[in-house]
Amino acid sequence: MRTQVAVIGAGPAGLLLSFLLHEAGIDCVVLEARDREYVRQRVRAGVCEQPTVELLTSLGLGERLAAEGMPHEGLSLRFDRADHRIALTELTGKAITVYGQQEIVKDLIDAHEARGYPISFEISDVQLSDVDTDRPRVAYRDSGGNAQVIECDAVAGCDGFHGVSRPSISDNLTVFEREYPFAWLGVLARTPPSHHELIYTHHERGFALHSMRTPEITRLYLQVDPHDNLANWSDDRIWAELTARLEVEGDFALREGPILDKGITPMRSFVAEPLRHGRLFLAGDAAHIVPPTGAKGMNLAIADVRVLARALEALLRGDESLAAAYSDTCLRRVWRAEHFSWFMTTMLHTDPHADGFARQLQLSQLRYTTSSRAAATSLAENYVGLPFA
């Protein structure tokens, strides 16, 4: 099989890259290990930065986002049993929109299918070769178990942290990483949100986050030990702990409802440099992971492929300059997001190994951030999304 670009992974990065390339007249195919329905339904991030919303809208992919997304002009930092609002729009003129990552994936799959852009689901045994040449190859087995080989001009590794793309060039990468001594227990509950905006809570019992996916579905998180087990967390215990951590002086009541899904996610920061080796280009979680506190993961992936689409379009015309600059261009944004995510994580979570001095520093940072317009503006402009390069 011959195509110009082989895209590995049908998450938001791979699907958006494929869409951008096809719209530019470049042949490509998306290869995905999971089946179509799993990809459409898997629950991931839910906060879209304003640059992400503007990009999807400009591409004609924002109809459902505009109709069903929930714009937020602020968020709350909750500590000392009080609520402190960061007025995102007042401070920056921008906002964020709550719209589930799986909804963006659905929109992209539907756009591919409507235009006849190919996606191959349920593939296996993927192997990359000849990425140091101008004719890299991708071997795999299709959904029927048949061996296939694609010869192409470039490969885009958009297959996530556990995919095959990054390990295939691991000897050529420098890795920076940090693991945190806590994890998130995330739950999806069928109940209207208890607050009209996101709530980030610093509490002596641990961090908590109140978010939402729709007007009827709430997304909530609790800081837990990374070695904890879901069996230890009954629904009653989850609601009791959320109530304790989100409680403030004043009129606030946490709405409870049936828990539809729950899972424990470890937290790490990770960057593999460079994002390019030969004709293999890494994007999104294949190249970098951020702790979810800053709501940057999906938005970084979208920023990567926006740059990558232009670089590949130029490369296939014979201009190497944008491809050569791809890694450095993306890494400037990646490291800014890594810092902001680390800042939010360390300011809000309770470190079990921290002493009293460190905990007083956290409170000092929170009090300064919510009382200084300059500090609040810095948080706000990072949260709503810095302009694309």
Side-chain angles (χ1 to χ4, degrees):
M1 193 185 305
R2 179 80 177 90
T3 192
Q4 289 178 286
V5 180
V7 179
I8 305 176
L15 290 170
L16 181 58
L17 176 62
S18 170
F19 184 85
L20 290 168
L21 292 174
H22 278 294
E23 294 291 288
I26 295 170
D27 290 332
C28 64
V29 62
V30 178
L31 306 175
E32 167 59 44
R34 300 284 191 166
D35 66 70
R36 180 181 180 277
E37 287 312 304
Y38 178 90
V39 173
R40 287 176 64 91
Q41 298 299 327
R42 57 185 169 191
V43 176
R44 293 290 188 270
V47 173
C48 299
E49 296 176 348
Q50 181 154 323
T52 294
V53 173
E54 292 172 351
L55 175 61
L56 294 173
T57 301
S58 72
L59 295 171
L61 299 168
E63 183 176 351
R64 273 207 320 134
L65 190 157
E68 301 175 19
M70 295 180 284
H72 287 203
E73 296 186 349
L75 60 83
S76 291
L77 297 183
R78 192 167 279 191
F79 60 95
D80 288 342
R81 292 180 57 80
D83 196 88
H84 309 266
R85 185 171 186 266
I86 303 294
L88 300 174
T89 304
E90 178 187 324
L91 293 167
T92 68
K94 301 176 183 178
I96 56 100
T97 299
V98 174
Y99 187 67
Q101 176 177 312
Q102 72 271 23
E103 302 305 322
I104 292 176
V105 167
K106 290 175 188 176
D107 294 339
L108 284 163
I109 290 176
D110 290 346
H112 275 68
E113 293 175 348
R115 292 164 173 79
Y117 300 159
I119 306 173
S120 293
F121 293 101
E122 298 182 77
I123 68 161
S124 59
D125 299 334
V126 180
Q127 297 182 19
L128 310 183
S129 61
D130 301 328
V131 297
D132 290 316
T133 75
D134 60 3
R135 287 291 184 271
R137 296 161 68 88
V138 182
Y140 65 97
R141 292 192 178 276
D142 63 22
S143 59
N146 303 304
Q148 304 285 354
V149 178
I150 295 178
E151 184 182 87
C152 50
D153 299 301
V155 178
C158 305
D159 49 345
F161 185 78
H162 299 290
V164 301
S165 297
R166 188 185 66 254
S168 71
I169 55 169
S170 58
D171 291 344
N172 303 99
L173 299 174
T174 300
V175 170
F176 305 87
E177 60 185 324
R178 173 165 297 179
E179 293 190 2
Y180 296 88
F182 33 74
W184 275 13
L185 167 60
V187 302
L188 203 64
R190 182 176 287 116
T191 180
S194 305
H195 193 266
H196 66 288
E197 293 176 339
L198 278 71
I199 304 171
Y200 288 80
T201 298
H202 172 80
H203 192 277
E204 63 185 11
R205 298 170 70 96
F207 168 82
L209 171 61
H210 169 278
S211 182
M212 64 282 292
R213 286 297 176 266
T214 73
E216 296 80 32
I217 301 294
T218 300
R219 185 72 161 153
L220 301 136
Y221 298 92
L222 286 168
Q223 176 187 339
V224 298
D225 187 280
H227 305 293
D228 211 334
N229 192 302
L230 274 179
N232 298 327
W233 288 90
S234 66
D235 291 2
D236 287 344
R237 184 188 177 193
I238 289 171
W239 287 118
E241 196 64 27
L242 283 165
T243 298
R245 297 189 195 184
L246 289 166
E247 186 180 19
V248 290
E249 301 288 351
D251 185 21
F252 175 81
L254 181 65
R255 293 173 174 168
E256 299 183 14
I259 291 179
L260 308 175
D261 181 68
K262 56 185 173 182
I264 293 177
T265 304
M267 299 185 69
R268 63 162 60 89
S269 299
F270 177 93
V271 181
E273 298 185 8
L275 276 59
R276 176 197 181 185
H277 179 72
R279 288 293 181 97
L280 173 60
F281 298 81
L282 303 178
D285 287 359
H288 42 74
I289 296 287
V290 290
T293 327
K296 294 294 167 228
M298 176 187 66
N299 294 289
L300 270 185
I302 287 173
D304 283 351
V305 299
R306 177 184 173 275
V307 176
L308 181 54
R310 296 178 179 186
L312 290 173
E313 186 179 354
L315 178 65
L316 296 174
R317 292 197 312 263
D319 180 357
E320 288 261 1
S321 60
L322 294 181
Y326 166 69
S327 182
D328 288 343
T329 300
C330 290
L331 283 170
R332 284 194 290 272
R333 189 182 192 90
V334 167
W335 279 112
R336 175 86 294 275
E338 290 284 357
H339 181 271
F340 178 68
S341 300
W342 167 86
F343 164 75
M344 290 285 285
T345 300
T346 54
M347 178 174 67
L348 288 161
H349 288 72
T350 302
D351 187 340
H353 308 300
D355 58 14
F357 182 84
R359 292 176 182 172
Q360 289 301 320
L361 291 180
Q362 281 182 294
L363 286 170
S364 176
Q365 181 64 62
L366 283 161
R367 291 164 183 157
Y368 176 65
T369 299
T370 54
S371 62
S372 162
R373 185 177 181 87
T377 300
S378 177
L379 187 155
E381 70 176 5
N382 279 275
Y383 198 85
V384 301
L386 298 173
F388 286 136

